[in-house]
Amino acid sequence: MDIEAAAVVRLVEQFLKEHNLRKTLAALQEETGVTINTVDNIGAFKSDIEKGNWEEVLSSVEQASIAQDKLVDLYEQIIFELVELQDLGPARALLRQTEPMEIMRVAHSDRYLRLEQLLSRTSFDKSLVYKGKETKESRRAEIASRLVREVSTAPPSRLVTLLGQAAQWQKQQGVISDGVPYDLFYARSLTVVSSENSAPSKLLATIKFPKNEHPSSLAFSPGGEYIATGSGGGFVEFWNAMTGKLANELEHQSSGAMMVMEDAVTSLAFSHSGELVCAGADDGKIKVWKVKSGSITKRFPAAQSQCVSSVVFSKDGTQILSGSADGTLRIHGLKSGNMLREFRGHTAGISGAVFTDDMSRVISTSEDGSVRIWDSISAECLHTVYPGTDKPGLSVQATHSLHAIPGRPNEFLVCTKSPNIYVLSSNGQVTRSFSAKQGTCNEFLAATVMPQGKLILAVSDTSTMHCFDIESGQPQDSTPKVLDVDVFGMACHPSLGLVAFFSSDRRVPIWTS
């Protein structure tokens, strides 16, 4: 199959347009003579013209090649409406500083002179602009019908999609190894240099949420390509883990379809294969979707009676373990959609829950300060541990996160609302403890473990990140603030030294070593 060079240029131009690299796009179009007359959505483009959303319309036509006579009509109508609104500054700028209006001045001097006269009047007279039965709305409709014939649309993220399909084919042929970073430009696998000698200390990228939205949960995909975020408005979205940009190569995100819960998304988890994502919400509901297509595979409308504070897939992908603010844990069958088991004993909300690798045990932490180890079949509580004390009482330290430690299948990290962090075994023994340097932390707000299981990262109430060596127990130097507000949660990349944070503001910063 022969591929035309112009088609490749158009793919690059579409990529530049989608990433708002306008100067580079203009330079490439001028250099090659190849243009793309595309808009993101023809229906939306037509609607913007008919509704007079001129800022959106100008942004679209600026990057397309449209016949000059049609641009002259469009710019003239925009000037009419700006004059009607007495917004004379932008009207003068359009008239005197744009190419279509310069063409009008030379080729249609009478029309140009009429616009100059309109700008000099103290009031707007529709009869001088619209003749007979013509109205502002009819002029917009006429211009829209002419312009939509000039443009087309193309599937979004075509370049990225084609590169992904090519990489997938190479993976099937054994050229690319699964799970090994690959340099697409140089066509070679990369050796991942361990970054476990120090904590992430510099900002790599930032995910930015729109106004009136904020992140309420996050998780890295098992392959490390995506960060999934849940929002206070109930949306689940996927972002490139290295750039913080929306992952538009995913089918549902490129088409504008959304993964939505009816309430704030309070917990997120990927299946171990990375094919599914599960979200728990503040109203006690759970939903499961396919990551690539965005199609929903299972709903649990009454998964918990209160907020779902924790969700996790079993290793074989057949079950979901959820924890709730009501203090209970439940195992749900992904195929049947039924609740299979319930675990009762905690006296406050669940802060974390995981399966052991062999799925024989469930480990849970709670705001009541206890860590409980359960038999996953009988739901019997086998051990109850209060880290930092021998028995419950006033000295109990409430827990707020629980994490499996990579490379240590029978050990788990427990972070408490204090300057202390603990490692527990699956039989309920505290095997290690870590404390922040005196005077540097009143309590930790979130914690995680780096991918090789050697370093613990924790964020304090001053939003400072602390780092501990699991073997020696020694704290490393703390880093600058990761956010300007209290951190609600954090997660680590499954193979690289990246960590992401979320809080009450509209940013998810991604830090690297």
Side-chain angles (χ1 to χ4, degrees):
M1 178 179 69
D2 293 330
I3 299 176
E4 295 183 2
V8 177
V9 173
R10 289 190 182 94
L11 285 171
V12 175
E13 288 177 345
Q14 183 193 21
F15 177 86
L16 295 173
K17 178 183 176 183
E18 290 174 341
H19 289 76
N20 206 32
L21 301 171
R22 297 184 181 183
K23 291 183 180 179
T24 307
L25 172 60
L28 182 59
Q29 288 180 331
E30 183 178 356
E31 180 74 20
T32 63
V34 178
T35 59
I36 50 169
N37 291 347
T38 61
V39 294
D40 294 337
N41 184 299
I42 290 179
F45 178 60
K46 183 178 181 181
S47 176
D48 282 337
I49 298 172
E50 292 173 341
K51 293 178 179 178
N53 296 332
W54 300 125
E55 187 175 346
E56 296 293 332
V57 173
L58 288 176
S59 177
S60 296
V61 301
E62 186 181 47
Q63 300 175 48
S65 179
I66 295 175
Q68 289 293 345
D69 62 323
K70 295 179 176 62
L71 285 179
V72 166
D73 291 342
L74 171 65
Y75 277 58
E76 181 184 46
Q77 181 60 30
I78 296 173
I79 292 172
F80 284 160
E81 296 191 24
L82 288 173
V83 173
E84 182 179 3
L85 295 170
Q86 289 296 293
D87 204 353
L88 301 182
R92 288 192 182 95
L94 278 180
L95 180 63
R96 297 168 184 171
Q97 300 175 22
T98 59
E99 185 177 353
M101 292 295 95
E102 177 62 20
I103 291 171
M104 175 190 278
R105 188 184 68 81
V106 174
H108 306 283
S109 58
D110 55 334
R111 288 173 67 183
Y112 187 88
L113 182 59
R114 181 176 63 158
L115 290 174
E116 284 281 16
Q117 291 171 343
L118 276 175
L119 282 168
S120 65
R121 298 176 70 91
T122 57
S123 61
F124 181 77
D125 186 349
K126 291 183 180 180
S127 65
L128 297 178
V129 175
Y130 306 114
K131 305 300 183 181
K133 295 183 179 181
E134 188 179 56
T135 64
K136 176 169 61 179
E137 288 72 24
S138 67
R139 281 265 300 180
R140 288 177 178 177
E142 180 185 354
I143 292 170
S145 66
R146 296 180 65 195
L147 286 182
V148 294
R149 291 194 290 269
E150 293 278 309
V151 297
S152 60
T153 188
S157 302
R158 284 293 297 151
L159 179 61
V160 175
T161 299
L162 289 170
L163 291 172
Q165 291 171 346
Q168 187 64 33
W169 181 84
Q170 288 190 307
K171 184 186 292 186
Q172 293 171 356
Q173 303 303 308
V175 178
I176 299 175
S177 300
D178 195 15
V180 177
Y182 186 77
D183 190 315
L184 193 63
F185 183 78
Y186 289 104
R188 65 192 182 194
S189 296
L190 296 174
T191 301
V192 179
V193 179
S194 170
S195 55
E196 295 260 335
N197 294 324
S198 61
S201 57
K202 56 189 176 183
L203 186 65
L204 174 68
T206 301
I207 297 171
K208 296 179 181 178
F209 279 62
K211 290 182 179 179
N212 302 320
E213 271 287 12
H214 66 275
S216 53
S217 53
L218 65 80
F220 279 91
S221 63
E225 61 270 60
Y226 303 124
I227 294 176
T229 60
S231 78
F235 295 100
V236 177
E237 296 175 290
F238 300 86
W239 314 79
N240 183 295
M242 302 298 293
T243 66
K245 303 294 184 183
L246 201 63
N248 282 324
E249 67 271 20
L250 293 175
E251 181 182 328
H252 65 284
Q253 294 198 159
S254 64
S255 66
M258 299 297 291
M259 295 181 179
V260 186
M261 303 291 286
E262 289 74 25
D263 212 330
V265 180
T266 50
S267 51
L268 278 172
F270 283 89
S271 63
H272 288 256
S273 66
E275 295 177 358
L276 302 175
V277 67
C278 173
D282 198 36
D283 57 8
K285 297 178 182 178
I286 288 176
K287 290 183 182 179
V288 181
W289 294 271
K290 291 183 178 179
V291 172
K292 288 188 176 180
S293 68
S295 59
I296 193 161
T297 64
K298 191 65 66 176
R299 291 180 175 87
F300 300 90
Q304 300 281 175
S305 65
Q306 295 180 27
C307 168
V308 181
S309 53
S310 173
V311 288
V312 65
F313 282 89
S314 61
K315 193 171 184 178
D316 61 6
T318 63
Q319 299 175 358
I320 292 171
L321 170 65
S322 66
S324 171
D326 65 9
T328 65
L329 301 108
R330 292 177 177 177
I331 292 178
H332 313 271
L334 195 54
K335 186 175 182 180
S336 68
N338 297 326
M339 184 185 75
L340 305 180
R341 277 173 292 286
E342 184 176 59
F343 304 79
R344 288 184 172 272
H346 285 294
T347 58
I350 302 300
S351 57
V354 296
F355 285 103
T356 56
D357 267 8
D358 61 6
M359 290 179 58
S360 67
R361 301 283 186 270
V362 166
I363 318 293
S364 63
T365 55
S366 167
E367 293 181 2
D368 64 12
S370 69
V371 181
R372 293 178 181 257
I373 294 95
W374 314 79
D375 186 290
S376 61
I377 304 300
S378 68
E380 176 189 0
C381 182
L382 304 175
H383 306 281
T384 301
V385 184
Y386 291 87
T389 185
D390 295 331
K391 57 184 179 180
L394 294 177
S395 61
V396 165
Q397 302 166 356
T399 64
H400 61 64
S401 59
L402 170 71
H403 305 275
I405 300 178
R408 299 171 181 266
N410 294 313
E411 290 190 314
F412 304 87
L413 178 72
V414 177
C415 187
T416 64
K417 293 182 179 179
S418 75
N420 305 310
I421 297 174
Y422 303 91
V423 173
L424 270 70
S425 67
S426 57
N427 62 8
Q429 299 298 311
V430 176
T431 59
R432 295 174 184 82
S433 63
F434 310 88
S435 298
K437 292 180 180 178
Q438 191 170 5
T440 64
C441 169
N442 291 318
E443 67 175 85
F444 288 118
L445 304 179
T448 189
V449 187
M450 290 190 74
Q452 294 183 13
K454 296 179 180 179
L455 294 181
I456 295 169
L457 304 180
V459 177
S460 72
D461 49 349
T462 59
S463 295
T464 302
M465 185 159 56
H466 297 249
C467 179
F468 300 92
D469 184 289
I470 287 185
E471 288 298 336
S472 70
Q474 294 301 310
Q476 297 189 1
D477 291 337
S478 58
T479 66
K481 282 189 175 183
V482 295
L483 278 168
D484 296 327
V485 294
D486 284 350
V487 171
F488 290 170
M490 59 192 294
C492 207
H493 191 281
S495 58
L496 302 176
L498 306 180
V499 62
F501 309 86
F502 72 94
S503 66
S504 59
D505 72 2
R506 298 189 292 115
R507 296 173 296 146
V508 174
I510 306 167
W511 284 57
T512 185
S513 299

